[in-house]
C-alpha cells in the first residue's frame, strides 16, 4: 500500500457491527464517550512513559505528559488531545480499522438486542475509540508516533453519513507527538459544547486519571480539571466511594459499579499497593483462560503492563485492578515476572486479599456473596485443584445445590452441610449429574431421603474435577452416592446391612441369572441398599470412574478405559418381584431393568429402537395376562 496518498479502506466486519451499535446509541449514558477517549489518552501517556525508560529521546523536547480537552462552538467540535506515544500508520489501521483480540466472536454472539444487557457487554469489551460515534457523525484522528520525524503524522477520518463501512487515511502535518481526536457532533448534541458541562464530566468520570487533564479558562490560560494523582496512592479516607467506582470502570472497562473492592498498602520485605475489584457480572469471555484482563502492573506509579496474569492465579481471573510495586525493576518483562520471587510474594498477597474479601462477603453480606457465586462460582471451583496452599479456604467459599434446599438457586456451604449431619454420619454425600433436575431426581437418593440424610446435588461439569481433588472437608470424606458399597453409618445403617445380607441370600438365584443374561454389560449384580421406590440403578465400583464423568470425557473425545457398571436391584419393587428365573421372557425383563437404570442416570442407550420394541412387547404381554 502507498503511504504517501489518501486511501479509502474498509472496516473489518466486526468493527462495522460495533459502529452500528454506537451509531444507534446503545449506551444509555452518552457522556461515556469522554471517559473512553480520556482513558485512551491516559493509556497512550502510560505507554510513552514505559517506552521512554529505554529510550529517553522519545520525550523529544516535551517531557511533561498531559491531556487537553477543548471545544469549538462555531465548528461544533470537541477535541481530546494527548502528547502520549501516538501511532504510526500501521498502528492506526491495526488499532482502529480492526479488532484484533480473542473473544470477538463470542462477544458478538452474546449480544441479545436488549439495550441494557448489551450496553453492559459492550462496556466489558472495551470499545474505547468507537464510543465517539455515540455523539459524532464524523470523527477525525490526527496522530504522530513518538520518535517519528517532525511533521510526519497520519490523518484518519470516518464520516457516518457517507457510509460507515469505510474510512480514509493519509499523511498529515503534525508537529508534536501524540493524538488528537476531533468529534464533529451530530445534530442535537450542542449541549456538550459547554465548558462547565465538559469539566463536570471530566471530574465525574476521569478525576482518578494520573495525567493532568487541561482545559482553557474563559479568561485565558490553562486550568487542570482533575486531581492528576494516582488514586491508589491517596489515603483511603480521602477517596470517596464514587471515585473508587469510577476508577473501577476505567480499569475494568465496565459500565456498572463493582460488587466489592479492597485497597491496601503492603509493607515489609516487599512494598506494594493493591487496589483489587470484584465485578458485579462475569465478562462474556470468562471461560477463555488464555485471555485474561487481570491486573495492571505499575512500578513506582509508572505503568508497566496490562493483563499481568502472574499477579493472580487463573481461578481468580475475574478480579480487576492494579498493583503498584516499589521494588520491581522498571524494565521488568513478562519473562522476568514468570521467574521472580518478588512476584510470587505479590501473587500470594493478592490471592490472600481477594480470599479475605470473599470470606468477608460470605460472612457479613450474604446477598452480595450469593450474587458473586451466581456469576463466578464455577470459576472459583477451579481453585480447589489449582491452589493447594489455599484449598481449605476455597473449599469454605464453595456453594452447592442440596436436597436440604428447595431450589437450584438456594445454595449451601460445606460448613452448613457438616452442621446438619445425622448422628453417626461420618461422610459428606454427593451425587453428580448433567443438570440440577437430573441430580435431584436421581434414584440413588431414595434411601437418603428416607433416612433424612442431606446430599449435595452437583450438576456443573467442573464438579467432577472438583470432587476428584477435594478429598475431605473438616476431616469428613466426600463420598459419591453412586459409587461403591453404601455405608450410611449409625444403628439404622447396621439394620440396613443386615436386611441387605438376608435379601442377598434369599435372591441369590435371581442375581446369578441376571448376571448370566446381562453378561459383559455389567461388572456385577447385587441387591441394593439404595433404592426404596425404583426397581434398579447402576453404580460404579469403588475405584472406577463415575458414569457422569465418563460421559463428559467421552463427549470431549477422550479415550476411556473399559469400565462396566454394577446393577443393583430392589427386591421390594413389583417389577423385580415379578421376575421368575424360569420365565421365558426373563432376558427381556433383565435388559429392561438395565436400560431403565441407564436412562435414569442420564446415560444413552446403545440401541433405542430395540429398547422400544422390547418395552412394547412386554407391555402387550402383561395386557394379555390381565385380560385372560
Amino acid at each position: 500500500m502507498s503511504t504517501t496518498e489518501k486511501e479509502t479502506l474498509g472496516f473489518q466486519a466486526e468493527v462495522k457491527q460495533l459502529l452500528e451499535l454506537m451509531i444507534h446509541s446503545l449506551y444509555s449514558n452518552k457522556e461515556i464517550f469522554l471517559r473512553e477517549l480520556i482513558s485512551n489518552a491516559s493509556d497512550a501517556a502510560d505507554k510513552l512513559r514505559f517506552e521512554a525508560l529505554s529510550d529517553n529521546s522519545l520525550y523529544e523536547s516535551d517531557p511533561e505528559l498531559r491531556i487537553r480537552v477543548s471545544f469549538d462552538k462555531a465548528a461544533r467540535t470537541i477535541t481530546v488531545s494527548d502528547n502520549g506515544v501516538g501511532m504510526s500508520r500501521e498502528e492506526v489501521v491495526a488499532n482502529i480499522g480492526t479488532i484484533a483480540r480473542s473473544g470477538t466472536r463470542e462477544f458478538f454472539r452474546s449480544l441479545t438486542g436488549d439495550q441494557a444487557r448489551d450496553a453492559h457487554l459492550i462496556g466489558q469489551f472495551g470499545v474505547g475509540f468507537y464510543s465517539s460515534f455515540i455523539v459524532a457523525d464524523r470523527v477525525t484522528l490526527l496522530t504522530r508516533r513518538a520518535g517519528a520525524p517532525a511533521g510526519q503524522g497520519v490523518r484518519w477520518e470516518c464520516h457516518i453519513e457517507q457510509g460507515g463501512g469505510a474510512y480514509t487515511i493519509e499523511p498529515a502535518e503534525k508537529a508534536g507527538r501524540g493524538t488528537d481526536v476531533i468529534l464533529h457532533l451530530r445534530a442535537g448534541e450542542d449541549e456538550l459544547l459547554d465548558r462547565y458541562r465538559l469539566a463536570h464530566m471530566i471530574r465525574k468520570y476521569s478525576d482518578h486519571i494520573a495525567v493532568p487533564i487541561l482545559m482553557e479558562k474563559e479568561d485565558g490560560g490553562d486550568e487542570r480539571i482533575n486531581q492528576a494523582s494516582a488514586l491508589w496512592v491517596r489515603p483511603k479516607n480521602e477517596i470517596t466511594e464514587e471515585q473508587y467506582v469510577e476508577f473501577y470502570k476505567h480499569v475494568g472497562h465496565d459500565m456498572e459499579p463493582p460488587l466489592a473492592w479492597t485497597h491496601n498498602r503492603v509493607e515489609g520485605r516487599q512494598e506494594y499497593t493493591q487496589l483489587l475489584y470484584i465485578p458485579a457480572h462475569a465478562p462474556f469471555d470468562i471461560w477463555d483462560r488464555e485471555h485474561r484482563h487481570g491486573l495492571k502492573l505499575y512500578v513506582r506509579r509508572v505503568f508497566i503492563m496490562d493483563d499481568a496474569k502472574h499477579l493472580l492465579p487463573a481461578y481468580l481471573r475475574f478480579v480487576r485492578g492494579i498493583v503498584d510495586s516499589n521494588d520491581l525493576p522498571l524494565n521488568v518483562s513478562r519473562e522476568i515476572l514468570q521467574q521472580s520471587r518478588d512476584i510470587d510474594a505479590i501473587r500470594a498477597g493478592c490471592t490472600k486479599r481477594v480470599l479475605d474479601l470473599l470470606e468477608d462477603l460470605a460472612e457479613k453480606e450474604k446477598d452480595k456473596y450469593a450474587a458473586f457465586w451466581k456469576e463466578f462460582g464455577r470459576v472459583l471451583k477451579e481453585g480447589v485443584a489449582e491452589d493447594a496452599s489455599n484449598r481449605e479456604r476455597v473449599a469454605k467459599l464453595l456453594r452447592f445445590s442440596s436436597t436440604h434446599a428447595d431450589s437450584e438457586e438456594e445454595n449451601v456451604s460445606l460448613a452448613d452441610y457438616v452442621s446438619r449431619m445425622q448422628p453417626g454420619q461420618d461422610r459428606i454425600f454427593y451425587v453428580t449429574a448433567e443438570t440440577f433436575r437430573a441430580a435431584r431426581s436421581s434414584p440413588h437418593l431414595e434411601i437418603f431421603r428416607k433416612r433424612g440424610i442431606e446430599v449435595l446435588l452437583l450438576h456443573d461439569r467442573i464438579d467432577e474435577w472438583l470432587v476428584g481433588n477435594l478429598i475431605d472437608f473438616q476431616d469428613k470424606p466426600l463420598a459419591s452416592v453412586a459409587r461403591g458399597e453404601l455405608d450410611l453409618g449409625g444403628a439404622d445403617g447396621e439394620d440396613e446391612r443386615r436386611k441387605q445380607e438376608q435379601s442377598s441370600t434369599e435372591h441369590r438365584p435371581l442375581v446369578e441369572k441376571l448376571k448370566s443374561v446381562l453378561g459383559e454389560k455389567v461388572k456385577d449384580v447385587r441387591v441394593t441398599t439404595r433404592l426404596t421406590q425404583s426397581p434398579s440403578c447402576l453404580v460404579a465400583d469403588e475405584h472406577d470412574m463415575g458414569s457422569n464423568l465418563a460421559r463428559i470425557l467421552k463427549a470431549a473425545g477422550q479415550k476411556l478405559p473399559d469400565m462396566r457398571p454394577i446393577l443393583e436391584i430392589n427386591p421390594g419393587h413389583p417389577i423385580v418381584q415379578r421376575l421368575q428365573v424360569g420365565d421365558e421372557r426373563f432376558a427381556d425383563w433383565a435388559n429392561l431393568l438395565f436400560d431403565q437404570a441407564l436412562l435414569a442416570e442420564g446415560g444413552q442407550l446403545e440401541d433405542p429402537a430395540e429398547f422400544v420394541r422390547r418395552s412394547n412387547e412386554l407391555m402387550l404381554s402383561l395386557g394379555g395376562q390381565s385380560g385372560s
Side-chain angles (χ1 to χ4, degrees):
M1 287 185 182
S2 169
T3 59
T4 60
E5 299 177 356
K6 184 174 183 177
E7 294 180 279
T8 300
L9 302 176
F11 282 117
Q12 180 191 27
E14 287 86 355
V15 176
K16 290 182 186 178
Q17 193 172 350
L18 196 57
L19 280 172
E20 279 295 313
L21 295 172
M22 295 299 100
I23 292 165
H24 293 100
S25 302
L26 195 56
Y27 274 170
S28 58
N29 182 1
K30 66 184 178 184
E31 290 183 349
I32 215 70
F33 81 91
L34 190 57
R35 184 189 76 182
E36 293 289 305
L37 294 180
I38 289 175
S39 179
N40 283 355
S42 172
D43 289 345
D46 282 340
K47 289 172 183 174
L48 176 64
R49 192 183 288 117
F50 177 64
E51 290 188 19
L53 293 174
S54 54
D55 184 3
N56 196 58
S57 67
L58 292 175
Y59 282 124
E60 301 172 357
S61 59
D62 188 14
E64 297 298 322
L65 296 169
R66 61 194 175 276
I67 300 167
R68 183 181 299 278
V69 177
S70 58
F71 64 97
D72 184 330
K73 285 190 175 182
R76 300 185 64 255
T77 60
I78 295 173
T79 301
V80 178
S81 303
D82 67 73
N83 63 342
V85 71
M87 289 181 282
S88 65
R89 182 188 184 282
E90 291 74 20
E91 287 171 324
V92 170
V93 172
N95 294 336
I96 297 179
T98 62
I99 303 175
R101 56 167 290 186
S102 68
T104 302
R105 188 172 301 167
E106 289 75 11
F107 162 69
F108 284 107
R109 191 182 295 137
S110 300
L111 295 174
T112 64
D114 178 273
Q115 286 207 357
R117 173 175 160 75
D118 288 350
H120 163 67
L121 289 170
I122 290 168
Q124 289 180 348
F125 191 69
V127 295
F129 174 79
Y130 304 107
S131 64
S132 304
F133 291 95
I134 297 173
V135 297
D137 54 20
R138 177 160 60 104
V139 176
T140 304
L141 179 144
L142 185 62
T143 186
R144 181 171 74 80
R145 187 67 159 84
Q152 293 187 14
V154 179
R155 182 191 303 276
W156 177 100
E157 189 166 87
C158 178
H159 200 316
I160 295 301
E161 291 184 355
Q162 296 176 358
Y167 59 89
T168 61
I169 189 167
E170 62 184 318
E173 284 288 324
K174 188 175 187 334
R177 67 169 189 272
T179 301
D180 305 332
V181 180
I182 305 160
L183 309 183
H184 305 264
L185 297 183
R186 296 183 190 184
E189 300 293 351
D190 292 50
E191 62 178 351
L192 296 170
L193 299 169
D194 178 83
R195 187 184 186 282
Y196 175 81
R197 174 77 182 275
L198 292 173
H200 173 74
M201 290 161 59
I202 291 169
R203 292 190 183 102
K204 179 178 179 181
Y205 296 112
S206 304
D207 198 49
H208 57 271
I209 296 291
V211 181
I213 304 172
L214 308 177
M215 287 190 74
E216 185 177 0
K217 293 189 288 188
E218 292 178 353
D219 58 355
D222 286 337
E223 177 188 11
R224 192 179 76 195
I225 305 300
N226 64 327
Q227 291 196 37
S229 64
L231 179 132
W232 61 88
V233 302
R234 302 180 205 165
K236 287 195 283 188
N237 60 5
E238 295 180 10
I239 306 173
T240 66
E241 181 171 326
E242 184 180 30
Q243 288 171 327
Y244 273 124
V245 168
E246 288 306 324
F247 184 71
Y248 163 73
K249 291 178 178 179
H250 167 68
V251 298
H253 297 292
D254 200 346
M255 297 292 295
E256 299 184 27
L259 186 71
W261 62 84
T262 178
H263 183 191
N264 309 281
R265 179 171 176 78
V266 179
E267 297 179 330
R269 196 174 75 82
Q270 270 103 20
E271 289 190 5
Y272 60 94
T273 300
Q274 52 189 202
L275 177 49
L276 310 175
Y277 292 91
I278 296 174
H281 298 283
F284 64 92
D285 54 357
I286 187 69
W287 295 108
D288 183 353
R289 287 167 56 90
E290 296 305 313
H291 186 78
R292 298 197 7 220
H293 300 279
L295 305 181
K296 292 178 180 285
L297 175 63
Y298 290 77
V299 174
R300 296 187 288 281
R301 287 172 294 288
V302 175
F303 171 77
I304 302 299
M305 68 181 70
D306 278 313
D307 307 341
K309 64 181 182 180
H310 301 293
L311 298 179
L312 278 173
Y315 73 94
L316 298 179
R317 60 185 175 273
F318 51 84
V319 176
R320 302 288 184 263
I322 66 96
V323 169
D324 187 353
S325 170
N326 283 346
D327 304 309
L328 293 172
L330 284 167
N331 63 349
V332 65
S333 66
R334 294 187 188 273
E335 291 70 32
I336 292 174
L337 288 182
Q338 204 165 355
Q339 304 164 2
S340 168
R341 290 185 178 179
D342 289 335
I343 287 296
D344 289 343
I346 293 174
R347 174 190 175 102
C350 290
T351 301
K352 178 183 181 301
R353 288 295 184 182
V354 173
L355 295 179
D356 286 345
L357 180 56
L358 292 176
E359 287 169 351
D360 199 53
L361 289 178
E363 181 182 351
K364 300 174 183 176
E365 298 185 76
K366 296 187 184 299
D367 288 345
K368 271 193 176 183
Y369 191 76
F372 161 80
W373 184 257
K374 183 177 180 181
E375 296 291 324
F376 301 109
R378 285 189 295 161
V379 184
L380 190 67
K381 287 177 180 179
E382 296 173 10
V384 169
E386 293 182 356
D387 191 354
S389 61
N390 286 299
R391 181 172 294 149
E392 187 175 340
R393 295 190 71 184
V394 174
K396 289 179 180 177
L397 292 167
L398 300 179
R399 298 292 183 267
F400 302 98
S401 301
S402 158
T403 55
H404 179 80
D406 294 327
S407 68
E408 181 179 355
E409 288 71 30
E410 187 179 348
N411 293 298
V412 303
S413 69
L414 291 172
D416 292 334
Y417 181 102
V418 170
S419 70
R420 293 190 290 264
M421 286 173 64
Q422 299 287 341
Q425 181 185 344
D426 59 359
R427 288 183 284 178
I428 297 170
F429 292 104
Y430 67 86
V431 63
T432 58
E434 290 189 346
T435 65
F436 170 74
R437 181 173 294 182
R440 187 178 58 182
S441 304
S442 171
H444 297 97
L445 302 181
E446 291 176 3
I447 188 63
F448 293 88
R449 287 200 172 96
K450 178 181 176 182
R451 294 272 305 276
I453 297 174
E454 184 175 0
V455 179
L456 300 177
L457 308 176
L458 309 187
H459 51 90
D460 289 334
R461 286 199 160 200
I462 194 173
D463 288 335
E464 290 283 4
W465 191 34
L466 185 148
V467 295
N469 290 276
L470 187 63
I471 307 303
D472 58 31
F473 179 78
Q474 294 182 358
D475 297 325
K476 303 291 192 297
L478 272 69
S480 169
V481 301
R483 182 182 286 122
E485 297 278 359
L486 191 60
D487 180 8
L488 301 184
D492 289 346
E494 288 293 332
D495 290 343
E496 294 287 349
R497 278 192 294 276
R498 280 195 295 270
K499 289 178 183 177
Q500 194 255 356
E501 290 172 4
Q502 181 180 348
S503 185
S504 296
T505 301
E506 180 183 342
H507 295 90
R508 184 169 292 143
L510 174 61
V511 167
E512 293 300 325
K513 183 69 180 290
L514 286 169
K515 285 167 65 174
S516 173
V517 169
L518 294 174
E520 293 299 308
K521 282 187 175 182
V522 295
K523 190 172 191 175
D524 196 6
V525 178
R526 64 192 182 204
V527 173
T528 189
T529 58
R530 291 173 167 82
L531 303 177
T532 61
Q533 297 173 309
S534 301
S536 60
C537 69
L538 297 180
V539 300
D541 206 357
E542 187 68 43
H543 303 293
D544 284 352
M545 184 184 300
S547 59
N548 190 55
L549 178 58
R551 282 193 296 273
I552 291 171
L553 294 178
K554 185 177 181 180
Q558 298 281 341
K559 188 174 182 179
L560 302 178
D562 181 31
M563 293 177 303
R564 291 173 293 159
I566 296 168
L567 177 68
E568 290 192 353
I569 59 169
N570 175 12
H573 194 278
I575 289 181
V576 178
Q577 290 175 344
R578 189 206 176 284
L579 277 175
Q580 301 296 323
V581 172
D583 190 333
E584 64 179 13
R585 307 216 62 159
F586 185 92
D588 286 334
W589 284 109
N591 280 287
L592 183 67
L593 281 176
F594 179 87
D595 290 345
Q596 282 185 338
L598 183 62
L599 289 172
E601 64 167 29
Q604 290 188 331
L605 299 174
E606 288 187 6
D607 190 346
E610 174 63 18
F611 170 76
V612 172
R613 182 198 63 77
R614 182 184 293 122
S615 299
N616 289 340
E617 289 184 359
L618 289 173
M619 285 189 289
L620 286 171
S621 69
L622 289 175
Q625 291 177 12
S626 63
S628 60

